[in-house]
Amino acid sequence: MNKKIKTEAVDHLFEAILTLKNSDECYSFFEDVCTVNELLSLSQRYEVAKMLREGKTYLEIADKTGASTATISRVNRSLNYGSDGYDMVFARLNPEEKK
């Protein structure tokens, strides 16, 4: 875990997120918390991570998501050297698939 983000305020935010029960609640909460561009950026990074794990090329990912190669590279670095957060979520969403 990155010690720089571990703060009481971030703890409170995560506790709030963990109370959300469905997609509608997520939409309501995140529309209030994030700007449209912030939310679209987060969702784009998640899509990039999924496509990288599927073995797609940077060009395919950029064409499909509109992400820059810098964003794709950052996400790829997180997948390879990060805290395994993406892979934890992917495994929970698709338990039959292995990394």
Side-chain angles (χ1 to χ4, degrees):
M1 172 185 1
N2 186 336
K3 303 258 189 243
K4 292 179 185 176
I5 67 166
K6 179 80 172 123
T7 66
E8 188 174 344
V10 173
D11 284 346
H12 292 161
L13 174 64
F14 291 165
E15 288 167 12
I17 291 169
L18 289 169
T19 69
L20 302 172
K21 293 183 170 71
N22 56 46
S23 294
D24 288 336
E25 289 186 3
C26 287
Y27 272 99
S28 294
F29 181 74
F30 282 97
E31 281 183 45
D32 287 348
V33 172
C34 298
T35 66
V36 170
N37 285 337
E38 289 169 336
L39 194 50
L40 293 176
S41 291
L42 289 171
S43 64
Q44 181 187 62
R45 288 183 202 141
Y46 181 77
E47 290 303 311
V48 166
K50 282 187 354 187
M51 294 179 76
L52 284 167
R53 278 294 181 246
E54 292 167 357
K56 305 289 189 212
T57 67
Y58 276 34
L59 182 59
E60 290 172 311
I61 296 167
D63 285 345
K64 174 100 191 299
T65 66
S68 68
T69 55
T71 295
I72 298 168
S73 180
R74 259 193 318 273
V75 171
N76 193 43
R77 191 170 41 255
S78 291
L79 286 169
N80 292 315
Y81 304 107
S83 301
D84 297 323
Y86 283 116
D87 288 326
M88 175 182 56
V89 170
F90 296 153
R92 289 178 183 172
L93 289 172
N94 300 299
E96 68 282 352
E97 292 180 17
K98 295 280 184 194
K99 179 177 169 183

